[in-house]
Amino acid sequence: MRKQDKYIFTGVAVASGIVGLIDYFQQEEKLKRIGQKMTWENYNGLQAFKKITVFGIVGGITGNEIYKWEFNEDSKKEFSSDNFLRNLVREENPNLNPMKLQELKSITKGVKDKLYNEFSDELVCFPENVGSLSKKIAITNTYDSDIVMPVKKDNHFGNMRNLSNEIHNTIEDLFEGEAEVIKRTKATSLIFQGNEGIHKVDVVYGKEIGNYKDDKNLNLYIRRPFFWQKGTTFKTNIDIQKNLYVYPLLIIPL
């Protein structure tokens, strides 16, 4: 919901709620004066509905005017991108929901352990964390976990297409019944239903180009071949991916 819509909705809800309560007690007091108790039979619902509707509209208009006033006041202030981003990351810090964050970290560790046990002979090293969590710039509700699996140059998979297909199919078998497995352009996504909500773990797998431990360069397979096009590979550097967008002012320890 947009911020303006929230202001309007809040105005409608507050005005309608207050007017509805006031009308109820007014009707109750009026009935007491003539010696009657308030019941559903003698409650004037139509009168209450009319008042709630009218004042609800007034409340919505008021909420919208408050939003426009605040917007105009904010627009007069000097804008600082550093302060804006710092406040955004602070307000949307995943630590605001530590149980969900901890559950995602636990799931991620389990995925990495399982992948390493299955592919250890083909990997340069233990699967690594990349993405917003590792960069410490994750925000609530949208953060997930990203894992990269660097595969040795000398592996049994063969070409990049076979490497991509075999690893994805194995992951699908490994997590059958445990997570929903989806093939993405450059990765395999695992969707887990946890106690604290839904968690997504993206597994990226690529083949080292030179010496991964020294240069962190990987070759990723990103497109299946069709009769009008060949499969495509993509060179990336994991160190750059880890550090991309990390800015000292934005880092909040997780």
Side-chain angles (χ1 to χ4, degrees):
M1 183 183 292
R2 296 183 309 162
K3 187 175 182 180
Q4 183 176 15
D5 295 336
K6 289 181 180 179
Y7 273 70
I8 295 172
F9 177 79
T10 301
V12 171
V14 171
S16 299
I18 292 174
V19 170
L21 286 173
I22 292 174
D23 181 76
Y24 175 86
F25 288 116
Q26 283 179 340
Q27 290 193 44
E28 185 180 45
E29 182 64 26
K30 185 177 180 180
L31 289 169
K32 279 183 180 180
R33 290 174 189 162
I34 58 176
Q36 295 183 23
K37 290 184 178 181
M38 172 74 81
T39 65
W40 285 113
E41 285 74 20
N42 56 25
Y43 175 67
N44 192 337
L46 180 59
Q47 171 188 298
F49 176 75
K50 289 179 179 179
K51 287 184 178 181
I52 288 172
T53 300
V54 171
F55 282 92
I57 293 172
V58 173
I61 294 172
T62 302
N64 187 55
E65 291 302 313
I66 292 174
Y67 166 78
K68 290 195 292 185
W69 178 82
E70 288 191 358
F71 182 84
N72 289 332
E73 289 300 308
D74 288 339
S75 65
K76 296 175 184 177
K77 299 176 183 177
E78 184 178 353
F79 178 75
S80 169
S81 58
D82 288 344
N83 290 336
F84 172 78
L85 291 172
R86 188 190 296 111
N87 291 334
L88 174 65
V89 174
R90 183 182 295 112
E91 292 169 3
E92 298 294 332
N93 188 350
N95 280 322
L96 295 175
N97 190 344
M99 293 182 68
K100 183 178 181 181
L101 178 60
Q102 189 55 47
E103 185 173 60
L104 176 59
K105 288 182 176 181
S106 177
I107 289 173
T108 301
K109 183 181 183 303
V111 170
K112 289 165 64 177
D113 289 341
K114 208 166 187 177
L115 292 174
Y116 187 71
N117 290 338
E118 180 66 27
F119 297 106
S120 58
D121 292 340
E122 305 298 329
L123 299 182
V124 179
C125 61
F126 194 78
E128 300 177 284
N129 288 334
V130 293
S132 59
L133 280 179
S134 66
K135 298 171 189 175
K136 304 185 186 303
I137 57 171
I139 61 175
T140 56
N141 300 320
T142 61
Y143 68 90
D144 51 28
S145 185
D146 300 278
I147 298 169
V148 63
M149 289 186 3
V151 178
K152 297 175 182 176
K153 280 189 296 186
D154 301 322
N155 60 78
H156 80 270
F157 297 116
N159 61 39
M160 289 296 296
R161 179 186 178 188
N162 289 337
L163 182 150
S164 178
N165 289 338
E166 285 195 38
I167 291 181
H168 170 77
N169 292 338
T170 303
I171 292 176
E172 204 166 32
D173 292 337
L174 282 174
F175 294 93
E176 184 179 7
E178 187 178 348
E180 181 184 357
V181 183
I182 303 172
K183 186 72 172 77
R184 303 292 188 189
T185 303
K186 301 176 185 176
T188 293
S189 291
L190 299 170
I191 313 295
F192 293 87
Q193 177 62 61
N195 295 325
E196 301 300 324
I198 295 174
H199 302 283
K200 182 161 77 78
V201 179
D202 288 331
V203 182
V204 179
Y205 29 86
K207 184 170 68 175
E208 67 174 344
I209 298 171
N211 185 332
Y212 179 79
K213 290 184 178 180
D214 292 334
D215 57 35
K216 298 297 183 179
N217 289 327
L218 283 182
N219 208 18
L220 311 181
Y221 186 76
I222 63 173
R223 186 173 64 192
R224 292 183 299 171
F226 295 98
F227 66 87
W228 67 86
Q229 67 181 21
K230 294 181 178 179
T232 303
T233 58
F234 175 79
K235 178 182 175 181
T236 189
N237 184 276
I238 299 305
D239 266 352
I240 293 176
Q241 292 297 322
K242 283 183 177 180
N243 296 316
L244 193 63
Y245 304 131
V246 174
Y247 184 61
L249 288 175
L250 298 181
I251 293 178
I252 295 177
L254 298 181

